[in-house]
Amino acid sequence: ENPARWVDFRLFMERVWANAYAAAHRAVREAYPDVNLSFTNPYKYNSLSGTNFALWLPHEEVLLRYCHRHVMDRTRSWSRAPILSWFGYSRDARQCSGRNGFTPWYMLGPLWRETGRSRAVTAAAQDLQRGIGKLLQVAEPEPAEAAILHSQPSMHVLYAQAAMPLGKPTNAGYERYAASDEAFAQGLMRQALSYRYVLPDQLTAEELQGVRLLALPSCVALSDQAVDGLRAA
């Protein structure tokens, strides 16, 4: 009835997986210092995906991401590395995809050199390089007025609470976490409040300076340290 050990194991697995990627990253960079690396196709997070964006992002110079709100907002909250998004699944130059339907890694070579496909996209996206497109690229965003707490342990607890009575995997717990997260984000957007994601160990007065509102979407498993940080903030 107590999922604590299972949750600890999932968190341990995510850290081992991220450390393995970091070790591969270090090995490649030692041999090829100019190479920019990304962990490809981490398009979502849930209790069985092994995905923990906060652990991966420090080891990526390029971010290959799907343009999902929950992915992009977390990525931009924790990293300023350039993003190469998925451009679609068609087989023409406008979608910048390959013969197998989708190959966004053909956009740039490992040494950040352009390819034929990236040149085609650059030519088709001139409006993004001028006028208001250029202004949006170079403008510094205003400090976030709100923060959303991302709690990986809470996501795992909710998953376990839904799956254990059934004795088999179910997405119901994760979907509860994701729905709460999405509701807070959409509510903040409707109120025109800028926001970013914070982690439990970032709940400090310094980190939350200027934040007027802190959202806790389905945060059912927080450490004593995180709770103390909430009280102090």
Side-chain angles (χ1 to χ4, degrees):
E1 296 181 359
N2 186 342
R5 287 189 294 177
W6 184 86
V7 171
D8 284 343
F9 185 62
R10 294 309 304 183
L11 295 171
F12 171 70
M13 289 178 70
E14 290 167 353
R15 187 165 293 280
V16 169
W17 182 225
N19 287 344
Y21 171 76
H25 176 275
R26 289 193 298 271
V28 172
R29 288 303 294 269
E30 286 176 4
Y32 305 97
D34 295 330
V35 167
N36 295 302
L37 280 81
S38 176
F39 191 95
T40 61
N41 204 28
Y43 61 95
K44 64 179 179 179
Y45 62 93
N46 63 34
S47 279
L48 300 183
S49 71
T51 301
N52 188 325
F53 290 125
L55 296 179
W56 286 349
L57 286 168
H59 310 291
E60 298 180 86
E61 292 84 23
V62 183
L63 306 175
L64 187 60
R65 298 287 187 266
Y66 277 93
C67 280
H68 296 317
R69 198 280 314 165
H70 69 276
V71 173
M72 302 301 280
D73 280 355
R74 284 168 171 79
T75 295
R76 274 290 162 254
S77 295
W78 302 327
S79 174
R80 303 312 300 172
I83 295 175
L84 292 182
S85 177
W86 299 91
F87 287 85
Y89 296 91
S90 298
R91 300 186 179 187
D92 55 42
R94 290 174 302 172
Q95 294 290 338
C96 191
S97 55
R99 62 185 180 184
N100 295 325
F102 61 100
T103 47
W105 41 88
Y106 290 174
M107 283 288 288
L108 297 168
L111 297 181
W112 202 243
R113 293 170 181 160
E114 281 197 300
T115 66
R117 290 186 174 85
S118 67
R119 285 190 286 271
V121 167
T122 298
Q126 288 299 309
D127 288 344
L128 298 178
Q129 309 297 322
R130 300 189 294 258
I132 190 171
K134 182 66 174 179
L135 289 175
L136 291 172
Q137 287 186 50
V138 301
E140 287 293 328
E142 290 291 321
E145 301 172 90
I148 303 176
L149 181 64
H150 174 82
S151 172
Q152 199 88 353
S154 296
M155 179 182 67
H156 291 318
V157 167
L158 292 173
Y159 177 90
Q161 287 178 341
M164 289 172 68
L166 300 177
K168 62 180 181 180
T170 172
N171 281 331
Y174 162 69
E175 288 169 355
R176 175 184 165 189
Y177 182 86
S180 178
D181 176 77
E182 186 67 20
F184 272 116
Q186 293 296 332
L188 292 170
M189 284 189 274
R190 283 195 295 271
Q191 296 300 318
L193 287 172
S194 59
Y195 63 89
R196 60 186 172 87
Y197 278 85
V198 295
L199 299 168
D201 59 5
Q202 295 175 318
L203 296 176
T204 64
E206 180 179 4
E207 186 70 32
L208 298 178
Q209 185 175 5
V211 171
R212 297 165 48 199
L213 184 149
L214 178 62
L216 310 177
S218 292
C219 291
V220 298
L222 297 177
S223 66
D224 292 341
Q225 181 181 4
V227 173
D228 290 341
L230 284 170
R231 289 175 175 150

